[in-house]
Amino acid sequence: AQSVTQLDSQVPVFEEAPVELRCNYSSSVSVYLFWYVQYPNQGLQLLLKYLSGSTLVESINGFEAEFNKSQTSFHLRKPSVHISDTAEYFCAVIVTGGGNKLTFGTGTQLKVEL
Amino acid sequence: DAGITQSPRHKVTETGTPVTLRCHQTENHRYMYWYRQDPGHGLRLIHYSYGVKDTDKGEVSDGYSVSRSKTEDFLLTLESATSSQTSVYFCAISRGTGNTEAFFGQGTRLTVV
Protein backbone atom coordinates (compact mmCIF):
# COMPACT_ATOMS: atom_id res chain seq x y z
CA ALA A 1 0.00 0.00 0.00
CA GLN A 2 1.18 3.50 -0.74
CA SER A 3 2.08 5.90 2.03
CA VAL A 4 3.07 9.51 2.32
CA THR A 5 5.55 10.90 4.82
CA GLN A 6 5.75 14.51 5.88
CA LEU A 7 8.63 14.61 8.32
CA ASP A 8 8.06 18.15 9.58
CA SER A 9 4.92 18.65 11.64
CA GLN A 10 5.62 22.36 12.11
CA VAL A 11 7.74 24.81 10.17
CA PRO A 12 8.17 28.34 11.56
CA VAL A 13 9.58 30.91 9.14
CA PHE A 14 9.90 34.67 8.96
CA GLU A 15 8.02 36.63 6.35
CA GLU A 16 9.86 37.00 3.03
CA ALA A 17 12.13 34.06 3.83
CA PRO A 18 12.19 30.94 1.64
CA VAL A 19 10.56 27.73 2.80
CA GLU A 20 10.58 24.06 1.86
CA LEU A 21 8.01 21.55 3.07
CA ARG A 22 9.14 17.99 2.57
CA CYS A 23 7.11 15.09 1.24
CA ASN A 24 8.20 11.56 0.46
CA TYR A 25 6.05 8.75 -0.81
CA SER A 26 6.46 5.01 -1.02
CA SER A 27 5.27 3.31 -4.16
CA SER A 28 6.96 1.15 -6.75
CA VAL A 29 4.50 2.11 -9.46
CA SER A 30 3.65 5.42 -11.06
CA VAL A 31 1.76 7.96 -8.98
CA TYR A 32 -0.10 11.21 -9.10
CA LEU A 33 1.05 13.70 -6.45
CA PHE A 34 -0.71 16.63 -4.86
CA TRP A 35 -0.28 19.40 -2.34
CA TYR A 36 -3.38 20.66 -0.56
CA VAL A 37 -3.67 23.63 1.78
CA GLN A 38 -6.04 24.02 4.69
CA TYR A 39 -6.73 27.41 6.25
CA PRO A 40 -8.19 27.50 9.78
CA ASN A 41 -11.70 26.09 10.08
CA GLN A 42 -11.92 25.32 6.39
CA GLY A 43 -11.79 22.31 4.13
CA LEU A 44 -8.80 21.49 1.95
CA GLN A 45 -8.02 23.22 -1.33
CA LEU A 46 -5.76 21.97 -4.08
CA LEU A 47 -2.51 23.94 -4.28
CA LEU A 48 -0.78 22.09 -7.11
CA LYS A 49 -0.53 18.66 -8.68
CA TYR A 50 1.78 16.47 -10.68
CA LEU A 51 0.10 14.07 -13.09
CA SER A 52 2.70 13.68 -15.86
CA GLY A 53 5.07 15.69 -18.03
CA SER A 54 7.27 18.40 -16.54
CA THR A 55 8.51 17.44 -13.11
CA LEU A 56 8.32 21.03 -11.86
CA VAL A 57 4.81 22.27 -11.18
CA GLU A 58 3.74 25.68 -10.00
CA SER A 59 0.76 27.24 -8.28
CA ILE A 60 -0.76 30.64 -8.93
CA ASN A 61 0.42 32.03 -5.58
CA GLY A 62 4.14 31.38 -5.98
CA PHE A 63 4.52 27.84 -4.62
CA GLU A 64 6.25 25.18 -6.66
CA ALA A 65 6.98 21.49 -6.23
CA GLU A 66 9.31 19.14 -8.02
CA PHE A 67 8.63 15.48 -8.63
CA ASN A 68 11.78 13.46 -8.07
CA LYS A 69 11.17 9.85 -8.99
CA SER A 70 14.58 8.56 -7.92
CA GLN A 71 14.18 10.05 -4.45
CA THR A 72 10.40 9.44 -4.33
CA SER A 73 9.93 13.01 -3.22
CA PHE A 74 7.61 15.89 -4.00
CA HIS A 75 8.86 18.79 -1.86
CA LEU A 76 6.98 22.08 -1.81
CA ARG A 77 8.90 25.34 -2.00
CA LYS A 78 8.31 29.05 -2.01
CA PRO A 79 11.13 31.58 -2.40
CA SER A 80 9.46 34.27 -0.27
CA VAL A 81 6.56 33.59 2.08
CA HIS A 82 3.84 35.93 3.23
CA ILE A 83 1.84 36.05 6.44
CA SER A 84 -1.19 34.85 4.48
CA ASP A 85 0.62 31.58 3.69
CA THR A 86 0.16 30.51 7.31
CA ALA A 87 -1.84 27.29 7.02
CA GLU A 88 -1.53 23.54 7.17
CA TYR A 89 -0.17 21.83 4.07
CA PHE A 90 -0.88 18.25 3.12
CA CYS A 91 0.91 16.11 0.60
CA ALA A 92 -1.19 13.38 -1.05
CA VAL A 93 -0.74 10.55 -3.52
CA ILE A 94 -2.83 8.44 -5.86
CA VAL A 95 -1.28 5.25 -7.19
CA THR A 96 -2.22 4.85 -10.84
CA GLY A 97 -4.41 1.83 -11.33
CA GLY A 98 -5.14 1.75 -7.62
CA GLY A 99 -8.78 2.73 -7.76
CA ASN A 100 -8.24 6.47 -7.36
CA LYS A 101 -7.62 6.07 -3.63
CA LEU A 102 -6.28 9.42 -2.38
CA THR A 103 -3.89 9.02 0.57
CA PHE A 104 -2.65 11.95 2.65
CA GLY A 105 0.38 12.64 4.76
CA THR A 106 0.08 13.87 8.33
CA GLY A 107 0.42 17.52 7.36
CA THR A 108 2.88 20.34 8.01
CA GLN A 109 1.80 23.46 9.85
CA LEU A 110 3.49 26.46 8.26
CA LYS A 111 3.61 29.46 10.56
CA VAL A 112 4.85 32.69 9.03
CA GLU A 113 6.03 35.29 11.51
CA LEU A 114 6.84 38.96 11.15
CA ASP B 1 -17.01 25.48 -2.93
CA ALA B 2 -17.40 22.86 -5.65
CA GLY B 3 -21.01 21.92 -4.97
CA ILE B 4 -20.42 19.79 -1.88
CA THR B 5 -22.62 20.00 1.18
CA GLN B 6 -21.97 18.15 4.40
CA SER B 7 -24.67 17.80 7.03
CA PRO B 8 -24.80 18.30 9.87
CA ARG B 9 -21.86 20.68 10.34
CA HIS B 10 -21.70 20.04 14.06
CA LYS B 11 -23.06 17.21 16.17
CA VAL B 12 -22.77 16.03 19.74
CA THR B 13 -23.91 12.50 20.42
CA GLU B 14 -23.75 9.95 23.20
CA THR B 15 -21.60 6.86 23.27
CA GLY B 16 -23.38 3.85 21.81
CA THR B 17 -25.79 5.72 19.58
CA PRO B 18 -25.78 5.41 15.79
CA VAL B 19 -24.89 8.52 13.82
CA THR B 20 -25.21 9.25 10.11
CA LEU B 21 -23.34 11.98 8.29
CA ARG B 22 -24.42 13.03 4.83
CA CYS B 23 -22.40 14.27 1.89
CA HIS B 24 -24.29 15.71 -1.05
CA GLN B 25 -22.73 16.80 -4.36
CA THR B 26 -24.13 18.61 -7.36
CA GLU B 27 -21.11 17.98 -9.63
CA ASN B 28 -21.99 14.46 -10.82
CA HIS B 29 -18.47 13.29 -9.89
CA ARG B 30 -17.89 9.57 -9.88
CA TYR B 31 -15.68 9.27 -6.78
CA MET B 32 -16.66 10.23 -3.26
CA TYR B 33 -14.57 9.88 -0.11
CA TRP B 34 -14.95 10.10 3.64
CA TYR B 35 -11.96 11.13 5.74
CA ARG B 36 -11.44 11.88 9.38
CA GLN B 37 -8.96 14.51 10.50
CA ASP B 38 -7.22 14.25 13.85
CA PRO B 39 -4.22 16.18 15.21
CA GLY B 40 -0.99 14.41 14.35
CA HIS B 41 -2.68 12.02 11.94
CA GLY B 42 -3.59 14.24 9.03
CA LEU B 43 -6.49 12.96 6.97
CA ARG B 44 -7.18 9.27 7.08
CA LEU B 45 -9.42 7.58 4.57
CA ILE B 46 -12.43 5.81 6.08
CA HIS B 47 -14.32 4.63 2.99
CA TYR B 48 -14.66 5.69 -0.58
CA SER B 49 -17.02 5.09 -3.46
CA TYR B 50 -16.30 4.69 -7.15
CA GLY B 51 -19.92 4.60 -8.28
CA VAL B 52 -23.47 3.96 -7.15
CA LYS B 53 -23.46 1.00 -4.76
CA ASP B 54 -19.70 0.57 -5.32
CA THR B 55 -17.68 1.23 -2.18
CA ASP B 56 -14.41 0.14 -0.66
CA LYS B 57 -12.67 0.39 2.68
CA GLY B 58 -9.97 2.83 3.58
CA GLU B 59 -7.33 2.56 6.27
CA VAL B 60 -9.61 3.28 9.27
CA SER B 61 -12.92 1.67 8.35
CA ASP B 62 -13.63 -0.26 11.55
CA GLY B 63 -16.80 0.99 13.22
CA TYR B 64 -17.99 2.79 10.10
CA SER B 65 -20.23 1.86 7.21
CA VAL B 66 -21.21 3.75 4.07
CA SER B 67 -23.89 3.72 1.45
CA ARG B 68 -24.28 5.32 -1.94
CA SER B 69 -27.68 4.71 -3.49
CA LYS B 70 -27.50 7.80 -5.72
CA THR B 71 -24.61 9.50 -7.49
CA GLU B 72 -25.08 12.67 -5.46
CA ASP B 73 -25.26 11.23 -1.93
CA PHE B 74 -22.68 9.39 0.16
CA LEU B 75 -23.67 8.53 3.71
CA LEU B 76 -21.30 7.67 6.53
CA THR B 77 -22.75 5.77 9.49
CA LEU B 78 -21.13 5.24 12.85
CA GLU B 79 -22.88 2.10 13.91
CA SER B 80 -22.32 2.61 17.64
CA ALA B 81 -20.43 5.81 18.34
CA THR B 82 -17.40 5.72 20.63
CA SER B 83 -15.32 8.53 22.09
CA SER B 84 -12.44 7.57 19.78
CA GLN B 85 -14.65 8.61 16.87
CA THR B 86 -14.71 12.20 18.05
CA SER B 87 -13.16 13.96 15.08
CA VAL B 88 -13.69 16.26 12.15
CA TYR B 89 -15.07 14.39 9.16
CA PHE B 90 -14.50 15.56 5.61
CA CYS B 91 -16.21 14.47 2.45
CA ALA B 92 -14.43 14.81 -0.87
CA ILE B 93 -15.39 14.25 -4.50
CA SER B 94 -13.35 13.60 -7.61
CA ARG B 95 -14.12 13.18 -11.27
CA GLY B 96 -11.56 10.39 -11.40
CA THR B 97 -9.18 9.23 -14.11
CA GLY B 98 -7.68 11.98 -16.23
CA ASN B 99 -8.54 14.77 -13.83
CA THR B 100 -8.00 13.57 -10.32
CA GLU B 101 -8.26 16.74 -8.27
CA ALA B 102 -10.41 16.21 -5.19
CA PHE B 103 -12.77 18.87 -3.87
CA PHE B 104 -13.57 18.98 -0.20
CA GLY B 105 -16.59 19.86 1.84
CA GLN B 106 -16.42 22.15 4.86
CA GLY B 107 -16.31 19.32 7.36
CA THR B 108 -18.49 17.96 10.15
CA ARG B 109 -17.30 18.29 13.72
CA LEU B 110 -18.53 15.27 15.66
CA THR B 111 -18.20 14.97 19.42
CA VAL B 112 -19.04 11.70 21.13
CA VAL B 113 -19.61 12.09 24.89
Side-chain angles (χ1 to χ4, degrees), chain A residues 28-42:
Chain A
S28 59
V29 298
S30 58
V31 296
Y32 300 135
L33 294 159
F34 307 83
W35 277 99
Y36 284 83
V37 59
Q38 184 181 34
Y39 298 102
N41 300 313
Q42 294 187 23

Side-chain angles (χ1 to χ4, degrees), chain B residues 65-100:
Chain B
S65 62
V66 290
S67 66
R68 191 170 178 198
S69 59
K70 299 183 291 184
T71 298
E72 57 266 35
D73 289 324
F74 193 34
L75 304 180
L76 176 70
T77 297
L78 287 64
E79 295 144 6
S80 177
T82 67
S83 58
S84 64
Q85 293 176 311
T86 293
S87 185
V88 179
Y89 291 85
F90 285 99
C91 174
I93 64 173
S94 170
R95 188 175 298 120
T97 304
N99 184 342
T100 51

Side-chain angles (χ1 to χ4, degrees), chain A residues 38-52:
Chain A
Q38 184 181 34
Y39 298 102
N41 300 313
Q42 294 187 23
L44 278 73
Q45 308 169 30
L46 181 68
L47 188 60
L48 46 76
K49 62 184 176 184
Y50 169 78
L51 301 181
S52 64

Side-chain angles (χ1 to χ4, degrees), chain A residues 4 6 22-25 31-37 44-52 57 65 67 73-76 89-96 100-105, chain B residues 33 35 94 96 98-104:
Chain A
V4 181
Q6 293 181 248
R22 296 180 293 169
C23 173
N24 289 87
Y25 66 93
V31 296
Y32 300 135
L33 294 159
F34 307 83
W35 277 99
Y36 284 83
V37 59
L44 278 73
Q45 308 169 30
L46 181 68
L47 188 60
L48 46 76
K49 62 184 176 184
Y50 169 78
L51 301 181
S52 64
V57 291
F67 169 56
S73 67
F74 191 54
H75 301 331
L76 181 69
Y89 292 79
F90 293 92
C91 183
V93 64
I94 291 177
V95 174
T96 59
N100 219 53
K101 186 183 293 188
L102 180 61
T103 301
F104 285 86
Chain B
Y33 308 81
Y35 292 89
S94 170
N99 184 342
T100 51
E101 174 180 356
F103 299 92
F104 283 78

Side-chain angles (χ1 to χ4, degrees), chain A residues 56-88:
Chain A
L56 183 66
V57 291
E58 299 177 350
S59 71
I60 58 173
N61 57 354
F63 282 94
E64 65 179 29
E66 187 162 16
F67 169 56
N68 187 320
K69 186 175 182 179
S70 64
Q71 297 186 6
T72 60
S73 67
F74 191 54
H75 301 331
L76 181 69
R77 303 183 183 95
K78 190 171 185 179
S80 177
V81 295
H82 189 268
I83 286 285
S84 60
D85 293 324
T86 294
E88 189 153 22

Side-chain angles (χ1 to χ4, degrees), chain B residues 10-75:
Chain B
H10 301 272
K11 186 171 182 65
V12 179
T13 192
E14 293 185 350
T15 298
T17 61
V19 177
T20 295
L21 309 183
R22 181 183 183 230
C23 179
H24 178 78
Q25 61 147 329
T26 59
E27 305 296 321
N28 200 35
H29 281 4
R30 176 182 177 188
Y31 290 87
M32 298 186 76
Y33 308 81
W34 276 109
Y35 292 89
R36 59 177 292 174
Q37 183 177 22
D38 304 286
H41 292 277
L43 276 82
R44 292 180 290 176
L45 183 64
I46 304 171
H47 283 279
Y48 70 106
S49 169
Y50 45 96
V52 173
K53 296 185 180 179
D54 291 324
T55 65
D56 202 355
K57 296 179 179 180
E59 58 186 306
V60 291
S61 60
D62 287 348
Y64 301 94
S65 62
V66 290
S67 66
R68 191 170 178 198
S69 59
K70 299 183 291 184
T71 298
E72 57 266 35
D73 289 324
F74 193 34
L75 304 180

